[in-house]
PDB file of all heavy atoms in Angstrom:
ATOM      1  N   ARG B 278     -38.738  32.592  18.316  1.00 98.00           N
ATOM      2  CA  ARG B 278     -39.875  32.739  17.398  1.00 98.00           C
ATOM      3  C   ARG B 278     -40.777  33.899  17.852  1.00 98.00           C
ATOM      4  O   ARG B 278     -41.223  34.714  17.049  1.00 98.00           O
ATOM      5  CB  ARG B 278     -40.661  31.432  17.334  1.00 98.00           C
ATOM      6  CG  ARG B 278     -41.702  31.407  16.226  1.00 98.00           C
ATOM      7  CD  ARG B 278     -42.323  30.026  16.043  1.00 98.00           C
ATOM      8  NE  ARG B 278     -41.380  29.116  15.400  1.00 98.00           N
ATOM      9  CZ  ARG B 278     -40.827  28.046  15.990  1.00 98.00           C
ATOM     10  NH1 ARG B 278     -41.145  27.742  17.221  1.00 98.00           N
ATOM     11  NH2 ARG B 278     -39.978  27.290  15.343  1.00 98.00           N
ATOM     12  N   TYR B 279     -41.032  33.992  19.151  1.00 98.00           N
ATOM     13  CA  TYR B 279     -41.872  35.058  19.690  1.00 98.00           C
ATOM     14  C   TYR B 279     -41.214  36.430  19.489  1.00 98.00           C
ATOM     15  O   TYR B 279     -41.851  37.374  19.012  1.00 98.00           O
ATOM     16  CB  TYR B 279     -42.148  34.800  21.175  1.00 98.00           C
ATOM     17  CG  TYR B 279     -43.050  35.825  21.805  1.00 98.00           C
ATOM     18  CD1 TYR B 279     -44.392  35.904  21.433  1.00 98.00           C
ATOM     19  CD2 TYR B 279     -42.580  36.711  22.759  1.00 98.00           C
ATOM     20  CE1 TYR B 279     -45.234  36.855  22.003  1.00 98.00           C
ATOM     21  CE2 TYR B 279     -43.404  37.657  23.332  1.00 98.00           C
ATOM     22  CZ  TYR B 279     -44.733  37.725  22.953  1.00 98.00           C
ATOM     23  OH  TYR B 279     -45.570  38.668  23.514  1.00 98.00           O
ATOM     24  N   ALA B 280     -39.929  36.534  19.827  1.00 98.00           N
ATOM     25  CA  ALA B 280     -39.207  37.806  19.691  1.00 98.00           C
ATOM     26  C   ALA B 280     -39.129  38.241  18.238  1.00 98.00           C
ATOM     27  O   ALA B 280     -39.173  39.441  17.936  1.00 98.00           O
ATOM     28  CB  ALA B 280     -37.812  37.680  20.290  1.00 98.00           C
ATOM     29  N   LYS B 281     -39.034  37.278  17.334  1.00 97.00           N
ATOM     30  CA  LYS B 281     -38.944  37.571  15.898  1.00 97.00           C
ATOM     31  C   LYS B 281     -40.168  38.358  15.422  1.00 97.00           C
ATOM     32  O   LYS B 281     -40.062  39.178  14.519  1.00 97.00           O
ATOM     33  CB  LYS B 281     -38.811  36.252  15.120  1.00 97.00           C
ATOM     34  CG  LYS B 281     -38.462  36.411  13.683  1.00 97.00           C
ATOM     35  CD  LYS B 281     -37.028  36.858  13.506  1.00 97.00           C
ATOM     36  CE  LYS B 281     -36.714  36.904  12.027  1.00 97.00           C
ATOM     37  NZ  LYS B 281     -35.443  37.531  11.755  1.00 97.00           N
ATOM     38  N   GLY B 282     -41.301  38.155  16.062  1.00 97.00           N
ATOM     39  CA  GLY B 282     -42.502  38.885  15.705  1.00 97.00           C
ATOM     40  C   GLY B 282     -42.560  40.289  16.283  1.00 97.00           C
ATOM     41  O   GLY B 282     -43.463  41.056  15.952  1.00 97.00           O
ATOM     42  N   LEU B 283     -41.588  40.638  17.127  1.00 98.00           N
ATOM     43  CA  LEU B 283     -41.620  41.929  17.805  1.00 98.00           C
ATOM     44  C   LEU B 283     -40.448  42.852  17.474  1.00 98.00           C
ATOM     45  O   LEU B 283     -40.427  43.999  17.922  1.00 98.00           O
ATOM     46  CB  LEU B 283     -41.642  41.697  19.333  1.00 98.00           C
ATOM     47  CG  LEU B 283     -42.828  40.902  19.868  1.00 98.00           C
ATOM     48  CD1 LEU B 283     -42.631  40.601  21.349  1.00 98.00           C
ATOM     49  CD2 LEU B 283     -44.123  41.662  19.644  1.00 98.00           C
ATOM     50  N   ALA B 284     -39.474  42.345  16.729  1.00 98.00           N
ATOM     51  CA  ALA B 284     -38.278  43.136  16.433  1.00 98.00           C
ATOM     52  C   ALA B 284     -37.792  42.844  15.021  1.00 98.00           C
ATOM     53  O   ALA B 284     -38.149  41.824  14.432  1.00 98.00           O
ATOM     54  CB  ALA B 284     -37.177  42.814  17.448  1.00 98.00           C
ATOM     55  N   ASP B 285     -36.958  43.740  14.513  1.00 97.00           N
ATOM     56  CA  ASP B 285     -36.379  43.538  13.186  1.00 97.00           C
ATOM     57  C   ASP B 285     -35.389  42.383  13.178  1.00 97.00           C
ATOM     58  O   ASP B 285     -35.252  41.677  12.184  1.00 97.00           O
ATOM     59  CB  ASP B 285     -35.659  44.811  12.723  1.00 97.00           C
ATOM     60  CG  ASP B 285     -36.578  46.013  12.701  1.00 97.00           C
ATOM     61  OD1 ASP B 285     -37.659  45.910  12.077  1.00 97.00           O
ATOM     62  OD2 ASP B 285     -36.237  47.042  13.312  1.00 97.00           O
ATOM     63  N   GLU B 286     -34.673  42.241  14.287  1.00 97.00           N
ATOM     64  CA  GLU B 286     -33.661  41.198  14.410  1.00 97.00           C
ATOM     65  C   GLU B 286     -33.752  40.555  15.784  1.00 97.00           C
ATOM     66  O   GLU B 286     -34.147  41.205  16.754  1.00 97.00           O
ATOM     67  CB  GLU B 286     -32.248  41.781  14.273  1.00 97.00           C
ATOM     68  CG  GLU B 286     -31.979  42.481  12.971  1.00 97.00           C
ATOM     69  CD  GLU B 286     -30.653  43.219  12.962  1.00 97.00           C
ATOM     70  OE1 GLU B 286     -29.962  43.287  13.997  1.00 97.00           O
ATOM     71  OE2 GLU B 286     -30.329  43.746  11.891  1.00 97.00           O
ATOM     72  N   VAL B 287     -33.330  39.285  15.823  1.00 98.00           N
ATOM     73  CA  VAL B 287     -33.240  38.568  17.094  1.00 98.00           C
ATOM     74  C   VAL B 287     -31.846  37.976  17.194  1.00 98.00           C
ATOM     75  O   VAL B 287     -31.363  37.338  16.258  1.00 98.00           O
ATOM     76  CB  VAL B 287     -34.308  37.464  17.212  1.00 98.00           C
ATOM     77  CG1 VAL B 287     -34.106  36.640  18.482  1.00 98.00           C
ATOM     78  CG2 VAL B 287     -35.705  38.063  17.180  1.00 98.00           C
ATOM     79  N   GLU B 288     -31.226  38.218  18.324  1.00 98.00           N
ATOM     80  CA  GLU B 288     -29.929  37.622  18.641  1.00 98.00           C
ATOM     81  C   GLU B 288     -30.161  36.580  19.725  1.00 98.00           C
ATOM     82  O   GLU B 288     -30.989  36.780  20.620  1.00 98.00           O
ATOM     83  CB  GLU B 288     -28.983  38.717  19.143  1.00 98.00           C
ATOM     84  CG  GLU B 288     -27.604  38.219  19.498  1.00 98.00           C
ATOM     85  CD  GLU B 288     -26.636  39.353  19.788  1.00 98.00           C
ATOM     86  OE1 GLU B 288     -26.947  40.515  19.462  1.00 98.00           O
ATOM     87  OE2 GLU B 288     -25.560  39.064  20.331  1.00 98.00           O
ATOM     88  N   PHE B 289     -29.423  35.489  19.646  1.00 98.00           N
ATOM     89  CA  PHE B 289     -29.563  34.421  20.637  1.00 98.00           C
ATOM     90  C   PHE B 289     -28.209  34.083  21.236  1.00 98.00           C
ATOM     91  O   PHE B 289     -27.232  33.923  20.506  1.00 98.00           O
ATOM     92  CB  PHE B 289     -30.165  33.164  20.007  1.00 98.00           C
ATOM     93  CG  PHE B 289     -30.230  32.012  20.973  1.00 98.00           C
ATOM     94  CD1 PHE B 289     -31.224  31.969  21.939  1.00 98.00           C
ATOM     95  CD2 PHE B 289     -29.287  30.999  20.936  1.00 98.00           C
ATOM     96  CE1 PHE B 289     -31.273  30.922  22.863  1.00 98.00           C
ATOM     97  CE2 PHE B 289     -29.327  29.956  21.843  1.00 98.00           C
ATOM     98  CZ  PHE B 289     -30.327  29.917  22.809  1.00 98.00           C
ATOM     99  N   SER B 290     -28.171  33.982  22.572  1.00 96.00           N
ATOM    100  CA  SER B 290     -26.931  33.634  23.278  1.00 96.00           C
ATOM    101  C   SER B 290     -27.205  32.658  24.415  1.00 96.00           C
ATOM    102  O   SER B 290     -28.101  32.894  25.222  1.00 96.00           O
ATOM    103  CB  SER B 290     -26.302  34.876  23.915  1.00 96.00           C
ATOM    104  OG  SER B 290     -25.942  35.818  22.968  1.00 96.00           O
ATOM    105  N   PRO B 291     -26.418  31.591  24.485  1.00 96.00           N
ATOM    106  CA  PRO B 291     -26.403  30.780  25.704  1.00 96.00           C
ATOM    107  C   PRO B 291     -25.209  31.201  26.558  1.00 96.00           C
ATOM    108  O   PRO B 291     -24.090  31.288  26.057  1.00 96.00           O
ATOM    109  CB  PRO B 291     -26.248  29.353  25.174  1.00 96.00           C
ATOM    110  CG  PRO B 291     -25.571  29.499  23.861  1.00 96.00           C
ATOM    111  CD  PRO B 291     -25.841  30.895  23.362  1.00 96.00           C
ATOM    112  N   GLN B 292     -25.443  31.513  27.814  1.00 93.00           N
ATOM    113  CA  GLN B 292     -24.341  31.933  28.676  1.00 93.00           C
ATOM    114  C   GLN B 292     -23.637  30.720  29.285  1.00 93.00           C
ATOM    115  O   GLN B 292     -24.156  29.614  29.248  1.00 93.00           O
ATOM    116  CB  GLN B 292     -24.838  32.876  29.763  1.00 93.00           C
ATOM    117  CG  GLN B 292     -25.803  32.256  30.739  1.00 93.00           C
ATOM    118  CD  GLN B 292     -26.307  33.259  31.755  1.00 93.00           C
ATOM    119  OE1 GLN B 292     -25.981  34.430  31.731  1.00 93.00           O
ATOM    120  NE2 GLN B 292     -27.120  32.789  32.672  1.00 93.00           N
ATOM    121  N   ASP B 293     -22.457  30.948  29.825  1.00 91.00           N
ATOM    122  CA  ASP B 293     -21.642  29.925  30.473  1.00 91.00           C
ATOM    123  C   ASP B 293     -21.216  28.829  29.492  1.00 91.00           C
ATOM    124  O   ASP B 293     -21.134  27.652  29.831  1.00 91.00           O
ATOM    125  CB  ASP B 293     -22.386  29.321  31.683  1.00 91.00           C
ATOM    126  CG  ASP B 293     -21.442  28.632  32.669  1.00 91.00           C
ATOM    127  OD1 ASP B 293     -20.331  29.144  32.863  1.00 91.00           O
ATOM    128  OD2 ASP B 293     -21.820  27.586  33.216  1.00 91.00           O
ATOM    129  N   CYS B 294     -20.937  29.244  28.266  1.00 88.00           N
ATOM    130  CA  CYS B 294     -20.615  28.279  27.197  1.00 88.00           C
ATOM    131  C   CYS B 294     -19.288  27.566  27.381  1.00 88.00           C
ATOM    132  O   CYS B 294     -19.102  26.484  26.834  1.00 88.00           O
ATOM    133  CB  CYS B 294     -20.632  28.969  25.839  1.00 88.00           C
ATOM    134  SG  CYS B 294     -22.295  29.279  25.278  1.00 88.00           S
ATOM    135  N   THR B 295     -18.363  28.156  28.121  1.00 90.00           N
ATOM    136  CA  THR B 295     -17.073  27.473  28.284  1.00 90.00           C
ATOM    137  C   THR B 295     -17.228  26.167  29.062  1.00 90.00           C
ATOM    138  O   THR B 295     -16.373  25.298  28.973  1.00 90.00           O
ATOM    139  CB  THR B 295     -16.038  28.372  28.988  1.00 90.00           C
ATOM    140  OG1 THR B 295     -16.548  28.779  30.256  1.00 90.00           O
ATOM    141  CG2 THR B 295     -15.710  29.584  28.127  1.00 90.00           C
ATOM    142  N   ARG B 296     -18.319  26.024  29.795  1.00 92.00           N
ATOM    143  CA  ARG B 296     -18.586  24.771  30.521  1.00 92.00           C
ATOM    144  C   ARG B 296     -19.700  23.962  29.866  1.00 92.00           C
ATOM    145  O   ARG B 296     -20.232  23.038  30.472  1.00 92.00           O
ATOM    146  CB  ARG B 296     -18.953  25.073  31.976  1.00 92.00           C
ATOM    147  CG  ARG B 296     -17.828  25.743  32.733  1.00 92.00           C
ATOM    148  CD  ARG B 296     -18.104  25.825  34.201  1.00 92.00           C
ATOM    149  NE  ARG B 296     -19.132  26.814  34.506  1.00 92.00           N
ATOM    150  CZ  ARG B 296     -19.509  27.116  35.732  1.00 92.00           C
ATOM    151  NH1 ARG B 296     -18.978  26.516  36.763  1.00 92.00           N
ATOM    152  NH2 ARG B 296     -20.439  28.028  35.934  1.00 92.00           N
ATOM    153  N   SER B 297     -20.055  24.319  28.652  1.00 93.00           N
ATOM    154  CA  SER B 297     -21.158  23.655  27.954  1.00 93.00           C
ATOM    155  C   SER B 297     -20.662  22.483  27.122  1.00 93.00           C
ATOM    156  O   SER B 297     -19.543  22.494  26.613  1.00 93.00           O
ATOM    157  CB  SER B 297     -21.877  24.639  27.033  1.00 93.00           C
ATOM    158  OG  SER B 297     -22.382  25.724  27.763  1.00 93.00           O
ATOM    159  N   ASP B 298     -21.527  21.515  26.955  1.00 94.00           N
ATOM    160  CA  ASP B 298     -21.256  20.390  26.068  1.00 94.00           C
ATOM    161  C   ASP B 298     -21.387  20.894  24.626  1.00 94.00           C
ATOM    162  O   ASP B 298     -22.448  21.387  24.236  1.00 94.00           O
ATOM    163  CB  ASP B 298     -22.280  19.282  26.349  1.00 94.00           C
ATOM    164  CG  ASP B 298     -22.231  18.152  25.338  1.00 94.00           C
ATOM    165  OD1 ASP B 298     -21.144  17.850  24.824  1.00 94.00           O
ATOM    166  OD2 ASP B 298     -23.304  17.568  25.063  1.00 94.00           O
ATOM    167  N   PRO B 299     -20.318  20.788  23.828  1.00 95.00           N
ATOM    168  CA  PRO B 299     -20.368  21.312  22.452  1.00 95.00           C
ATOM    169  C   PRO B 299     -21.510  20.730  21.618  1.00 95.00           C
ATOM    170  O   PRO B 299     -22.116  21.450  20.826  1.00 95.00           O
ATOM    171  CB  PRO B 299     -19.001  20.931  21.869  1.00 95.00           C
ATOM    172  CG  PRO B 299     -18.108  20.812  23.060  1.00 95.00           C
ATOM    173  CD  PRO B 299     -18.986  20.280  24.160  1.00 95.00           C
ATOM    174  N   GLU B 300     -21.806  19.459  21.778  1.00 96.00           N
ATOM    175  CA  GLU B 300     -22.906  18.863  21.008  1.00 96.00           C
ATOM    176  C   GLU B 300     -24.246  19.473  21.404  1.00 96.00           C
ATOM    177  O   GLU B 300     -25.115  19.678  20.555  1.00 96.00           O
ATOM    178  CB  GLU B 300     -22.910  17.349  21.187  1.00 96.00           C
ATOM    179  CG  GLU B 300     -21.744  16.664  20.498  1.00 96.00           C
ATOM    180  CD  GLU B 300     -21.731  15.162  20.691  1.00 96.00           C
ATOM    181  OE1 GLU B 300     -22.765  14.583  21.107  1.00 96.00           O
ATOM    182  OE2 GLU B 300     -20.674  14.569  20.421  1.00 96.00           O
ATOM    183  N   PHE B 301     -24.404  19.761  22.683  1.00 96.00           N
ATOM    184  CA  PHE B 301     -25.635  20.410  23.123  1.00 96.00           C
ATOM    185  C   PHE B 301     -25.729  21.820  22.542  1.00 96.00           C
ATOM    186  O   PHE B 301     -26.795  22.256  22.100  1.00 96.00           O
ATOM    187  CB  PHE B 301     -25.730  20.462  24.650  1.00 96.00           C
ATOM    188  CG  PHE B 301     -26.921  21.253  25.131  1.00 96.00           C
ATOM    189  CD1 PHE B 301     -28.214  20.833  24.863  1.00 96.00           C
ATOM    190  CD2 PHE B 301     -26.743  22.442  25.821  1.00 96.00           C
ATOM    191  CE1 PHE B 301     -29.320  21.578  25.279  1.00 96.00           C
ATOM    192  CE2 PHE B 301     -27.840  23.193  26.246  1.00 96.00           C
ATOM    193  CZ  PHE B 301     -29.123  22.759  25.974  1.00 96.00           C
ATOM    194  N   LEU B 302     -24.615  22.550  22.518  1.00 96.00           N
ATOM    195  CA  LEU B 302     -24.629  23.901  21.949  1.00 96.00           C
ATOM    196  C   LEU B 302     -25.021  23.881  20.479  1.00 96.00           C
ATOM    197  O   LEU B 302     -25.787  24.738  20.031  1.00 96.00           O
ATOM    198  CB  LEU B 302     -23.267  24.579  22.116  1.00 96.00           C
ATOM    199  CG  LEU B 302     -22.910  25.029  23.520  1.00 96.00           C
ATOM    200  CD1 LEU B 302     -21.523  25.658  23.525  1.00 96.00           C
ATOM    201  CD2 LEU B 302     -23.945  25.999  24.067  1.00 96.00           C
ATOM    202  N   VAL B 303     -24.515  22.902  19.736  1.00 96.00           N
ATOM    203  CA  VAL B 303     -24.886  22.784  18.322  1.00 96.00           C
ATOM    204  C   VAL B 303     -26.396  22.592  18.205  1.00 96.00           C
ATOM    205  O   VAL B 303     -27.061  23.223  17.379  1.00 96.00           O
ATOM    206  CB  VAL B 303     -24.105  21.633  17.646  1.00 96.00           C
ATOM    207  CG1 VAL B 303     -24.684  21.307  16.276  1.00 96.00           C
ATOM    208  CG2 VAL B 303     -22.629  21.973  17.546  1.00 96.00           C
ATOM    209  N   ARG B 304     -26.937  21.741  19.046  1.00 97.00           N
ATOM    210  CA  ARG B 304     -28.398  21.501  19.041  1.00 97.00           C
ATOM    211  C   ARG B 304     -29.162  22.775  19.415  1.00 97.00           C
ATOM    212  O   ARG B 304     -30.159  23.122  18.774  1.00 97.00           O
ATOM    213  CB  ARG B 304     -28.706  20.375  20.023  1.00 97.00           C
ATOM    214  CG  ARG B 304     -30.154  20.011  20.093  1.00 97.00           C
ATOM    215  CD  ARG B 304     -30.350  18.799  21.002  1.00 97.00           C
ATOM    216  NE  ARG B 304     -31.727  18.729  21.399  1.00 97.00           N
ATOM    217  CZ  ARG B 304     -32.145  18.421  22.606  1.00 97.00           C
ATOM    218  NH1 ARG B 304     -31.290  18.096  23.546  1.00 97.00           N
ATOM    219  NH2 ARG B 304     -33.423  18.395  22.883  1.00 97.00           N
ATOM    220  N   LEU B 305     -28.691  23.467  20.447  1.00 97.00           N
ATOM    221  CA  LEU B 305     -29.354  24.686  20.916  1.00 97.00           C
ATOM    222  C   LEU B 305     -29.291  25.791  19.851  1.00 97.00           C
ATOM    223  O   LEU B 305     -30.295  26.435  19.546  1.00 97.00           O
ATOM    224  CB  LEU B 305     -28.699  25.152  22.223  1.00 97.00           C
ATOM    225  CG  LEU B 305     -29.328  26.303  22.977  1.00 97.00           C
ATOM    226  CD1 LEU B 305     -30.791  26.018  23.317  1.00 97.00           C
ATOM    227  CD2 LEU B 305     -28.524  26.570  24.252  1.00 97.00           C
ATOM    228  N   PHE B 306     -28.110  25.985  19.258  1.00 97.00           N
ATOM    229  CA  PHE B 306     -27.979  26.982  18.188  1.00 97.00           C
ATOM    230  C   PHE B 306     -28.838  26.607  16.983  1.00 97.00           C
ATOM    231  O   PHE B 306     -29.460  27.467  16.363  1.00 97.00           O
ATOM    232  CB  PHE B 306     -26.523  27.138  17.753  1.00 97.00           C
ATOM    233  CG  PHE B 306     -25.671  27.915  18.714  1.00 97.00           C
ATOM    234  CD1 PHE B 306     -24.401  27.459  19.050  1.00 97.00           C
ATOM    235  CD2 PHE B 306     -26.101  29.106  19.273  1.00 97.00           C
ATOM    236  CE1 PHE B 306     -23.596  28.173  19.920  1.00 97.00           C
ATOM    237  CE2 PHE B 306     -25.313  29.827  20.144  1.00 97.00           C
ATOM    238  CZ  PHE B 306     -24.047  29.356  20.474  1.00 97.00           C
ATOM    239  N   GLY B 307     -28.875  25.329  16.655  1.00 97.00           N
ATOM    240  CA  GLY B 307     -29.686  24.870  15.527  1.00 97.00           C
ATOM    241  C   GLY B 307     -31.153  25.205  15.743  1.00 97.00           C
ATOM    242  O   GLY B 307     -31.845  25.642  14.805  1.00 97.00           O
ATOM    243  N   ALA B 308     -31.640  25.001  16.962  1.00 98.00           N
ATOM    244  CA  ALA B 308     -33.047  25.306  17.273  1.00 98.00           C
ATOM    245  C   ALA B 308     -33.304  26.810  17.154  1.00 98.00           C
ATOM    246  O   ALA B 308     -34.331  27.234  16.625  1.00 98.00           O
ATOM    247  CB  ALA B 308     -33.391  24.813  18.671  1.00 98.00           C
TER     248      ALA B 308
END
């Protein structure tokens, strides 16, 4: 939300996703 006010576009990435819980990633991406 903060970055969105400072740039034309915002990209979001969680690193180390191959060891991530898929349900948590869905929640994180949704947010």
